[in-house]
Amino acid sequence: MAEAKETQKEQAAEATSAQAQTEVKETVSTEEFLKNFNWHNYEEGIDQVEDEKLKEFENLVEENFVDTADEEVVEGTVVHLTDREAIIDINAKSEGVISLNEFRYNPNLSVGDKVEVLIDVREDKSGQLVLSHRKARTIKAWDRVNAAHDKGEIVNGFVKCRTKGGMIVDVFGIEAFLPGSQIDVKPIRDYDAYVGKTMEFKVVKINHEFKNVVVSHKALIEADIEEQKKEIIGQLEKGQVLEGTVKNITSYGVFIDLGGVDGLIHITDLSWSRINHPNEVVELDQKLNVVILDFDDNKSRIQLGLKQLQKHPWEALGEEVKVGDKVKGKVVVIADYGAFIEVAEGVEGLIHVSEMSWSTHLRSAQDFVNVGDEVEAVILTLDREERKMSLGIKQLTPDPWTDITSKYPVGSKHTGIVRNFTNFGVFVELEEGIDGLIYISDLSWTKKIKHPSEFVNVGDKLEVEVLELDVDGRKLSLGHKQTTENPWDKYESEFGEGTVHTAEISEIVDKGATIEFNDDIVAFVPSRHLEKEDGKKLKKGETAEFKVIEFNKEFKRVVASHTAIFKEEEEKNVKAAAKRSNQAEKTTLGDANAELQALKDKMEGKA
């Protein structure tokens, strides 16, 4: 560079000497002046340089100064630092300036450091060369990222912060995305624990259009894990006990990491006791021993067990426990047919709904117990081989049928509660465990009931009388109508056969009509008995006299006739006429006889 400056000085001196010589020769003639005039110096303003010297100068410039072309990254040296800027020498005609903001990632920047820069502006308004370190880093970073992706190289990155679905990682100055699923082979619960760390990554995807880079830390360890997985799978055997770590907990089971191989402990294989959720037994990252129960042909699905490492609770159940003993336990499950009671850890017994109450009408287990209740029960059956136990609650109280004959003798009257309907009757509860049936025919003396719901509602109190009692069959027959006097006894005399009543035709029915004598008695009038005296028939709404021609108290059947009213009158008139005719005949014959007798007597007297 010093040699170039000396050459420039020599050229300037020569130019000055040429100008002096021109001034000396001012007296030379015009023709000679024009002939010897240096037109090149005049036009260019400088003496002509020989080609060899010019070539030499160009070589010196090319060797000592860089070409300040755009979009080219060059290396510079920090020659000076101010509070806001760094002065960079890139060996150009002038030094460049870069804001210290572009070096925030490198707070230890000092004079003499080598940095990569990009020529941003060749000369600003003040003739200063403007450089950019950030742009140079970006260009170089993309070159490095592409090379790492193509070659599969491992790169270092700085985890800057969390973002939706993963983390932001600084790789060569480029912000790359690290998905949450690519952080580790196991699910990550605390993303913040990785912020601020420098980790190794593999570039797995580059989108050049949107300038997006995706990196993975998981990919680096998967290869090692795959080797471990093959080794572990090759050694798996049923019944083998391994140590694992709780990797994930779901509602149906727990996934265990066996060292690169995952296995599942189903919720039913976690504990001999019933549990609602696996987190009642295990927690995340917990280390525990498990036993291999089963696996598929490829050993990709491994079924594990935890409770199998412990002795079955039924085997630990004491021999002193026997049928008839009273036990206490907690209700763990309720079904429509009964409730399961845990009498010891892992030992359950079933209380069937029929063993919860002496009552015989249908009810569900929810009516008696709730999940979590502490109950006392009696052991009814016990099968240690099948590991089954049945319990009963009602056995804790005396059987109400024990003294049934003394409490509910035939003919006694009581008040019960309607509990249930059937098509043929009503079940009435006299007390807990004592139910009786009222047949539909024993509900009312007078009403014709098609279904019990027409007469009474569930929950109603009802007066009943004990009609029959079967102690062995535990059956009780009740009646409701028997608690009141039978009104048909009174109706038999009031509406017996031959009685005459005035009534209105209520309805015209098939083969006749109906009339109402009172609220209880609806009589049937056959069609031929609707005929009036004039030959016409009674119609709906007409009022007339009716004669009862049939009365059946047992079947509550009453048949009446209007025609019989005037037919009877006709029969009376016919009988009266016949009687009078007979009397007339008798009188005429008597007179004749008297006359004959008188004549006879007269004749005899004369004689």
Side-chain angles (χ1 to χ4, degrees):
M1 186 174 179
E3 293 178 356
K5 292 180 179 180
E6 290 295 331
T7 303
Q8 291 176 350
K9 291 179 179 180
E10 291 176 359
Q11 291 176 349
E14 289 177 358
T16 303
S17 176
Q19 185 178 0
Q21 292 176 1
T22 302
E23 292 176 354
V24 171
K25 295 180 180 180
E26 287 181 354
T27 58
V28 181
S29 63
T30 303
E31 292 180 2
E32 187 177 355
F33 172 77
L34 293 174
K35 182 180 179 180
N36 297 322
F37 185 75
N38 192 334
W39 292 99
H40 178 272
N41 291 353
Y42 173 76
E43 292 176 353
E44 298 295 333
I46 189 173
D47 289 340
Q48 186 174 1
V49 181
E50 294 180 1
D51 292 340
E52 292 182 1
K53 291 185 177 182
L54 182 60
K55 185 65 175 177
E56 182 183 356
F57 178 75
E58 290 176 353
N59 290 337
L60 288 173
V61 172
E62 184 176 351
E63 291 175 3
N64 291 277
F65 294 97
V66 299
D67 184 12
T68 57
D70 293 335
E71 302 300 325
E72 183 180 355
V73 177
V74 298
E75 187 178 66
T77 305
V78 179
V79 295
H80 185 66
L81 292 173
T82 68
D83 293 339
R84 301 176 60 183
E85 296 172 330
I87 310 301
I88 310 295
D89 181 11
I90 62 170
N91 210 18
K93 289 185 291 184
S94 63
E95 295 169 339
V97 179
I98 299 178
S99 172
L100 286 181
N101 290 332
E102 298 189 22
F103 295 97
R104 282 184 296 180
Y105 75 95
N106 184 11
N108 298 322
L109 183 69
S110 59
V111 174
D113 288 350
K114 300 292 185 180
V115 295
E116 293 174 337
V117 296
L118 180 73
I119 300 172
D120 200 7
V121 180
R122 295 184 181 182
E123 290 185 1
D124 60 7
K125 295 180 180 180
S126 61
Q128 184 69 52
L129 182 65
V130 179
L131 306 177
S132 174
H133 177 61
R134 182 184 295 111
K135 292 181 180 180
R137 286 188 72 212
T138 302
I139 293 174
K140 284 294 184 181
W142 275 103
D143 293 341
R144 294 175 184 173
V145 166
N146 284 313
H149 177 261
D150 296 338
K151 297 178 182 179
E153 295 177 351
I154 298 174
V155 299
N156 289 327
F158 177 76
V159 181
K160 297 177 65 176
C161 62
R162 285 188 56 179
T163 188
K164 183 178 181 181
M167 315 287 285
I168 298 297
V169 179
D170 187 326
V171 178
F172 304 136
I174 295 176
E175 289 189 347
F177 177 60
L178 172 64
S181 60
Q182 296 297 316
I183 298 176
D184 205 337
V185 291
K186 60 183 180 181
I188 301 302
R189 292 174 291 277
D190 184 12
Y191 284 72
D192 293 332
Y194 292 87
V195 176
K197 288 186 176 182
T198 299
M199 302 168 60
E200 291 184 337
F201 300 97
K202 189 174 182 179
V203 180
V204 294
K205 184 178 180 181
I206 298 177
N207 188 322
H208 293 282
E209 182 180 357
F210 297 100
K211 298 293 183 181
N212 289 337
V213 178
V214 180
V215 296
S216 171
H217 178 69
K218 176 182 176 181
L220 299 179
I221 56 179
E222 280 183 333
D224 295 336
I225 291 177
E226 192 63 29
E227 291 297 327
Q228 296 176 11
K229 185 175 180 180
K230 289 180 181 179
E231 184 179 351
I232 293 173
I233 287 178
Q235 299 175 355
L236 289 182
E237 294 180 2
K238 292 182 181 180
Q240 184 179 8
V241 178
L242 300 173
E243 184 183 50
T245 305
V246 178
K247 180 178 180 180
N248 192 19
I249 299 176
T250 68
S251 59
Y252 56 85
V254 178
F255 287 94
I256 304 297
D257 183 0
L258 301 175
V261 180
D262 290 348
L264 173 65
I265 306 177
H266 194 268
I267 187 171
T268 56
D269 291 317
L270 283 170
S271 172
W272 291 113
S273 300
R274 290 181 184 264
I275 57 175
N276 296 318
H277 197 277
N279 57 20
E280 298 176 16
V281 180
V282 298
E283 58 185 19
L284 288 172
D285 299 327
Q286 179 182 351
K287 292 186 179 296
L288 42 79
N289 290 328
V290 293
V291 61
I292 298 176
L293 302 180
D294 200 1
F295 44 73
D296 59 7
D297 295 337
N298 298 326
K299 297 183 179 180
S300 59
R301 293 185 178 181
I302 304 172
Q303 182 181 347
L304 305 175
L306 181 63
K307 70 180 185 182
Q308 287 78 4
L309 296 175
Q310 302 172 353
K311 190 176 181 180
H312 196 287
W314 273 90
E315 298 175 5
L317 190 65
E319 293 295 332
E320 68 278 3
V321 179
K322 59 185 182 299
V323 174
D325 288 350
K326 293 181 181 180
V327 293
K328 291 183 179 181
K330 182 175 69 173
V331 179
V332 290
V333 174
I334 293 180
D336 290 336
Y337 56 84
F340 288 92
I341 311 299
E342 188 177 50
V343 297
E345 185 177 358
V347 179
E348 295 179 0
L350 172 64
I351 304 179
H352 194 271
V353 66
S354 61
E355 303 297 340
M356 292 183 174
S357 170
W358 290 109
S359 178
T360 56
H361 61 82
L362 297 177
R363 297 169 75 178
S364 62
Q366 289 88 342
D367 296 331
F368 299 96
V369 293
N370 297 310
V371 174
D373 287 352
E374 294 285 343
V375 297
E376 186 178 22
V378 175
I379 299 177
L380 304 181
T381 63
L382 181 63
D383 189 338
R384 294 179 181 272
E385 292 184 0
E386 294 293 329
R387 295 170 178 171
K388 292 182 179 179
M389 180 189 301
S390 63
L391 307 173
I393 295 178
K394 70 181 184 182
Q395 289 76 9
L396 298 172
T397 57
D399 185 353
W401 281 83
T402 303
D403 55 351
I404 188 73
T405 54
S406 60
K407 292 197 301 185
Y408 302 101
V410 174
S412 60
K413 292 181 173 60
H414 310 275
T415 300
I417 299 175
V418 177
R419 290 300 187 188
N420 197 16
F421 290 145
T422 67
N423 291 330
F424 53 83
V426 180
F427 284 98
V428 177
E429 184 182 58
L430 299 180
E431 66 173 82
E432 183 74 21
I434 304 295
D435 291 351
L437 174 65
I438 303 176
Y439 283 97
I440 196 170
S441 59
D442 290 320
L443 286 173
S444 174
W445 290 112
T446 58
K447 294 182 180 180
K448 293 182 178 180
I449 302 170
K450 294 181 180 179
H451 191 274
S453 59
E454 300 173 7
F455 184 80
V456 72
N457 297 315
V458 173
D460 288 352
K461 290 186 177 181
L462 205 61
E463 296 293 329
V464 295
E465 181 178 320
V466 179
L467 304 181
E468 296 179 14
L469 178 59
D470 182 359
V471 178
D472 295 334
R474 301 173 75 93
K475 293 181 180 180
L476 197 61
S477 179
L478 306 175
H480 171 65
K481 70 181 184 180
Q482 288 80 3
T483 60
T484 59
E485 184 181 356
N486 187 355
W488 284 84
D489 293 338
K490 180 180 65 174
Y491 296 153
E492 188 175 17
S493 59
E494 184 178 351
F495 298 97
E497 289 185 14
T499 58
V500 177
H501 309 274
T502 301
E504 178 184 319
I505 301 294
S506 301
E507 294 289 341
I508 301 297
V509 297
D510 187 28
K511 297 181 181 181
T514 58
I515 56 176
E516 296 180 2
F517 287 153
N518 58 26
D519 293 339
D520 296 329
I521 299 179
V522 178
F524 174 69
V525 182
S527 181
R528 60 189 178 87
H529 289 277
L530 291 172
E531 186 177 339
K532 295 187 290 186
E533 193 171 358
D534 58 4
K536 297 180 180 180
K537 289 189 176 182
L538 292 170
K539 298 180 179 179
K540 181 178 179 179
E542 288 192 64
T543 301
E545 288 187 335
F546 296 90
K547 182 179 180 180
V548 178
I549 58 177
E550 181 184 346
F551 185 91
N552 190 315
K553 181 178 70 172
E554 182 179 356
F555 295 101
K556 302 179 182 63
R557 174 180 172 84
V558 179
V559 180
S561 171
H562 170 69
T563 305
I565 298 293
F566 64 86
K567 287 289 185 182
E568 185 178 355
E569 291 294 333
E570 290 180 355
E571 289 177 2
K572 287 181 179 180
N573 293 335
V574 170
K575 289 180 180 179
K579 184 176 180 181
R580 287 194 299 270
S581 175
N582 291 335
Q583 289 177 351
E585 291 177 0
K586 289 179 180 179
T587 301
T588 303
L589 183 59
D591 291 344
N593 290 336
E595 292 176 357
L596 289 174
Q597 185 64 41
L599 181 60
K600 182 179 179 181
D601 291 341
K602 186 177 178 179
M603 290 175 66
E604 289 179 354
K606 289 179 179 181

